[in-house]
Amino acid sequence: MVPHLVTALTGPINELEQRILDSMPAIERWFRLEWMEHTPPFYTSVDIRNAGFKLAPVDTNLYPGGWNNLTTEMLPLAVQAAMAAIEKICPEARNLLIIPENHTRNTFYLANVVQLQRIFNMAGLNVRVGSISPEVKKPTTIELPNGDSVTLEPVVRTKRRLGLKDFDPCTILLNNDLSAGAPGILEDIHEQYLLPPLHAGWTVRRKSNHFKAYEEVSKRFGKMLGIDPWLIHPLFTHCEDLDFAEGVGIDRLQASVDGLLTKVRRKYKEYGINEKPFAIVKANNGTYGMGIMTVRDAKELEDLGRRARNKMAVVKEGQPVHDVIVQEGVLTMERVHEAVAEPVVYMMDRYVVGGFYRMHAERGTDENLNAPGASYVPLAFEHSTHLPQPGARPGVSAPNRFYMYGVLGRLAMLAASYELEATNPDAEVYE
């Protein structure tokens, strides 16, 4: 079942979709050449917003959870992609250790861990789950509501290796975004593959670096397609040295928001768009939909209430927010079951393997949907995202729409690849 999309489609997206479909051979060749030069992140999920007049990724996650929200139809694609990814990194791999987030009792999250375990098991690996949480002192089996169960075991560190009692993995897959910092137990591992690398974690990673890389990618892609890169790129800036709790730096943030909204208004005027521009202010690192607000006018920041300031002051694991990205807000005109929705595309290695719609009945078209109360409808790829239907009219065929989303997802993944190369502490520097 492919979810029925109710989309307020206006001209430019149809034109963009047509341009992407007509350029499919050139696009696939372009990606092939890029992947010869750059290594894709091990796995990635990308949140995409479709405004009807522009289409853009707004968040890229390098430690994606939510694998349990994908359908069983996508399993073969994910297994093939997992095989390709592992073969490239460690062809003789036998054992894989998954290190999950520390919130061990969140059964929705653990269902995602079980799905990852299943994918890599079917790719031909012995897979176990090792926790770095101080709460897990012995093997602990947790039953999940869907009938599955997962066993968490305490991680054991020797001088140069990481594993479990009687389990020595060649590859360690992190499904923990390191929001609270990289624990020492994961550092200085010399004889095993740690995926993704530590510098992909939120201790080091900044959204502004990612979108700077994405801006470069979108310009090059736009040039190849002959389109304005703004149609696929959210404008952004960032603001540092803030203290929301004390109200420090709010005037600078206000100036940043005002400057960005002025640029967006100019673009809206150029394209004859009658919507009201808005900005999304979010913590420059971190995830889980925390530390985010929608600003429709910079004046709103003058009298931010204490509750709003406190909401912005800390993110996951209680980390304080001093640095934010101010991003052009992209409306979402998708509807699933009459709720506002946005597609999330999942990739492993360089392949699109599936996705879902995140929907929220209580949120508006200009609000963050990654919030309590969100629900998920799988994007069942009845046809592979790589098999669009070139003859179909734009906006009519689901496979065509999903192919377009897959292209945008891969552009964001390529930007993440550029970003990780630029921030790699072990990269050789050539003078």
Side-chain angles (χ1 to χ4, degrees):
M1 176 288 246
V2 172
H4 178 62
L5 305 182
V6 183
T7 311
L9 280 173
T10 50
I13 284 293
N14 279 350
E15 288 166 29
L16 179 62
E17 190 174 322
Q18 193 64 61
R19 184 71 59 94
I20 284 174
L21 292 172
D22 291 346
S23 309
M24 191 176 65
I27 289 170
E28 295 306 324
R29 178 175 182 273
W30 186 83
F31 275 122
R32 265 200 314 277
L33 295 175
E34 286 291 330
W35 296 131
M36 286 170 73
E37 300 289 326
H38 306 281
T39 304
F42 188 79
Y43 55 2
T44 317
S45 70
V46 178
D47 297 356
I48 294 171
R49 304 272 286 203
N50 180 352
F53 54 84
K54 83 178 282 178
L55 179 75
V58 293
D59 228 343
T60 301
N61 190 348
L62 300 183
Y63 298 88
W67 289 89
N68 52 310
N69 293 319
L70 304 171
T71 61
T72 47
E73 289 93 334
M74 74 92 215
L75 262 179
L77 285 173
V79 170
Q80 283 180 317
M83 284 175 170
I86 291 289
E87 258 168 47
K88 242 178 7 189
I89 293 153
C90 181
E92 69 281 3
R94 181 179 296 132
N95 296 337
L96 176 92
L97 179 66
I98 297 175
I99 295 184
E101 293 280 358
N102 285 354
H103 44 254
T104 52
R105 298 291 163 183
N106 181 331
T107 55
F108 291 111
Y109 172 73
L110 292 174
N112 146 77
V113 173
V114 168
Q115 183 74 310
L116 279 172
Q117 204 170 359
R118 190 175 287 128
I119 288 166
F120 287 100
N121 197 240
M122 290 166 82
L125 294 161
N126 301 315
V127 187
R128 282 162 69 177
V129 183
S131 178
I132 55 174
S133 167
E135 291 172 23
V136 179
K137 296 182 171 62
K138 61 177 197 281
T140 307
T141 300
I142 299 168
E143 302 295 330
L144 304 183
N146 64 1
D148 285 332
S149 67
V150 61
T151 300
L152 303 175
E153 302 178 64
V155 161
V156 177
R157 175 71 196 248
T158 58
K159 191 176 178 189
R160 296 174 75 83
R161 294 183 80 80
L162 195 65
L164 305 175
K165 190 182 176 208
D166 306 323
F167 186 76
D168 187 29
C170 128
T171 307
I172 297 154
L173 180 64
L174 278 180
N175 197 242
N176 179 323
D177 64 22
L178 308 178
S179 288
I185 197 169
L186 297 177
E187 293 177 343
D188 301 318
I189 297 172
H190 300 291
E191 297 165 359
Q192 291 166 304
Y193 296 94
L194 186 66
L195 304 166
L198 288 180
H199 71 280
W202 285 123
T203 321
V204 176
R205 197 173 172 231
R206 295 293 176 269
K207 292 172 188 173
S208 50
N209 287 339
H210 174 73
F211 282 99
K212 187 178 173 193
Y214 183 78
E215 184 174 22
E216 184 188 335
V217 166
S218 62
K219 280 178 180 168
R220 293 181 49 225
F221 185 78
K223 190 175 178 184
M224 179 187 72
L225 245 62
I227 60 164
D228 178 352
W230 177 75
L231 292 173
I232 57 169
H233 166 61
L235 300 175
F236 76 98
T237 182
H238 87 287
C239 193
E240 297 174 305
D241 303 321
L242 299 170
D243 187 329
F244 283 96
E246 299 298 324
V248 174
I250 302 296
D251 52 339
R252 284 182 291 105
L253 176 59
Q254 196 176 350
S256 295
V257 169
D258 199 38
L260 184 85
L261 288 174
T262 301
K263 285 182 185 170
V264 178
R265 273 187 214 103
R266 211 171 288 142
K267 276 301 199 183
Y268 278 21
K269 191 174 178 188
E270 181 187 334
Y271 282 93
I273 293 159
N274 294 320
E275 302 287 349
K276 185 174 171 61
F278 64 101
I280 299 290
V281 177
K282 52 189 171 184
N284 205 6
N285 61 328
T287 182
Y288 279 82
M290 297 172 80
I292 296 181
M293 64 179 164
T294 300
V295 183
R296 297 166 188 88
D297 188 318
K299 289 193 181 76
E300 293 169 23
L301 294 167
E302 279 174 15
D303 35 66
L304 265 189
R306 178 148 295 278
R307 190 165 165 228
R309 290 214 310 269
N310 288 348
K311 195 176 141 209
M312 288 299 295
V314 292
V315 287
K316 188 181 162 201
E317 308 276 1
Q319 296 298 303
V321 175
H322 298 300
D323 181 8
V324 297
I325 182 170
V326 179
Q327 194 176 56
E328 172 190 354
V330 182
L331 292 164
T332 180
M333 291 304 186
E334 302 281 35
R335 293 279 187 291
V336 177
H337 306 324
E338 299 183 8
V340 173
E342 66 188 7
V344 184
V345 174
Y346 274 63
M347 291 155 290
M348 195 171 287
D349 195 56
R350 57 185 187 155
Y351 306 103
V352 175
V353 297
F356 54 77
Y357 274 98
R358 179 187 290 121
M359 54 194 229
H360 204 303
E362 287 155 30
R363 291 284 170 121
T365 56
D366 63 353
E367 292 183 291
N368 166 43
L369 304 186
N370 188 5
S375 53
Y376 305 92
V377 173
L379 284 175
F381 290 116
E382 284 180 350
H383 311 276
S384 161
T385 49
H386 293 281
L387 294 177
Q389 299 169 336
R393 285 200 329 276
V396 172
S397 159
N400 285 355
R401 176 60 41 80
F402 298 157
Y403 176 71
M404 183 166 72
Y405 291 159
V407 168
L408 266 288
R410 286 183 288 162
L411 289 174
M413 173 169 65
L414 180 59
S417 170
Y418 285 23
E419 173 199 355
L420 290 179
E421 285 167 17
T423 55
N424 183 357
D426 301 322
E428 293 180 31
V429 179
Y430 298 100
E431 295 296 333

